[in-house]
Amino acid sequence: MSIQQHPFHVSTGEKEALVFIEYQNEWLSKDGKIHHLIEDHQQFADSVESSKRLLEAARKSDIQIIHCGLFFDENHVELGNTTYGLRAGISTFKTFIKGTPGSRFGEAFTPEPGEFVVSGRTGASGFAGSNLDSFLRNQGIKKIYIAGYALHVCVESTLRHGHDLGYEMTIIEDATAAFTQEQRKYVLEHVVHHFGKSITVDQFIEMHKI
């Protein structure tokens, strides 16, 4: 059964979701085309280990787990002929092409049956062009935790977008990373509180009595 065919889990408790953003080999593998952009490698490595703890704990709870990656056709036709910004960068560096090693979820973050995989995403935000909002609304989920990469780009974009759509947004701060410590610190100190809040993996585990 393919990832996209997995039946999803419907929470019988509080309506919450944990969204993992771009736990794909473009980020996680040393051969990934984005991995080389990381300047603070210890920060990134620590975030990966924290993310493993987070996913393991979440799988013991009743929370809906969602995997939100990027998957494009070979010529990135979904992005059009743009010459600037993130969309141009993705096209230029040929990242996240469907079926390539870089687009695959990292081994430790491979979706399991019952976990929803977002499709159709075309922008920095996990909501951009995707079925994420539709899925959440149809399941009655209003509270969202997010983790992943990069904090100052796609995680922040998802945080802002989710807030504006009316969701209660929380970043798991030690399960995400930016390219530098300075970028990470700026987002956590000056951006997050405008659109939600942040907690640690330990706080998430304690809150959910895992």
Side-chain angles (χ1 to χ4, degrees):
M1 182 181 291
S2 69
I3 291 173
Q4 286 76 11
Q5 292 173 319
H6 283 160
F8 57 79
H9 166 75
V10 179
S11 173
T12 56
E14 188 175 7
K15 296 292 186 177
E16 300 180 332
L18 174 57
V19 181
F20 287 85
I21 298 175
E22 290 173 42
Y23 283 82
Q24 295 165 273
N25 288 327
E26 295 288 23
W27 283 105
L28 300 176
S29 171
K30 291 182 179 179
D31 296 323
K33 295 176 182 176
I34 300 179
H35 187 85
H36 74 278
L37 298 175
I38 300 165
E39 297 181 35
D40 189 334
H41 290 280
Q42 189 60 55
Q43 175 206 181
F44 185 79
D46 290 345
S47 76
V48 173
E49 292 307 308
S50 293
S51 296
K52 290 177 183 177
R53 287 185 58 229
L54 176 63
L55 181 56
E56 180 182 6
R59 284 174 171 162
K60 297 176 182 177
S61 75
D62 200 35
I63 194 169
Q64 175 67 59
I65 296 172
I66 297 174
H67 302 268
C68 185
L70 285 168
F71 305 94
F72 297 109
D73 286 341
E74 185 174 1
N75 295 321
H76 294 85
V77 293
E78 304 94 333
L79 301 181
N81 260 340
T82 184
T83 58
Y84 58 89
L86 182 64
R87 292 160 71 96
I90 288 173
S91 298
T92 299
F93 293 103
K94 304 296 183 184
T95 57
F96 298 111
I97 296 173
K98 296 173 187 175
T100 62
S103 72
R104 293 174 192 146
F105 289 108
E107 184 176 355
F109 300 97
T110 301
E112 293 187 352
E115 299 173 0
F116 185 72
V117 179
V118 173
S119 63
R121 180 180 163 209
T122 56
S125 165
F127 293 97
S130 79
N131 58 357
L132 177 57
D133 183 47
S134 177
F135 176 80
L136 293 169
R137 293 188 188 282
N138 286 335
Q139 303 311 314
I141 297 170
K142 297 182 178 179
K143 187 172 184 178
I144 304 172
Y145 300 90
I146 51 178
Y149 308 106
L151 176 60
H152 64 305
V153 186
C154 294
V155 174
E156 181 182 338
S157 294
T158 305
L159 170 73
R160 290 172 179 261
H161 200 161
H163 166 272
D164 288 350
L165 288 171
Y167 294 102
E168 182 181 336
M169 305 296 292
T170 302
I171 286 179
I172 311 295
E173 61 183 65
D174 49 342
T176 187
F179 297 147
T180 69
Q181 193 62 249
E182 291 76 14
Q183 292 166 342
R184 181 177 187 274
K185 182 178 179 182
Y186 182 84
V187 174
L188 292 176
E189 292 185 359
H190 300 289
V191 177
V192 171
H193 69 276
H194 292 292
F195 304 100
K197 62 182 179 180
S198 66
I199 61 172
T200 65
V201 173
D202 285 340
Q203 287 173 319
F204 175 89
I205 291 172
E206 183 178 353
M207 288 167 57
H208 292 84
K209 297 178 171 49
I210 300 168

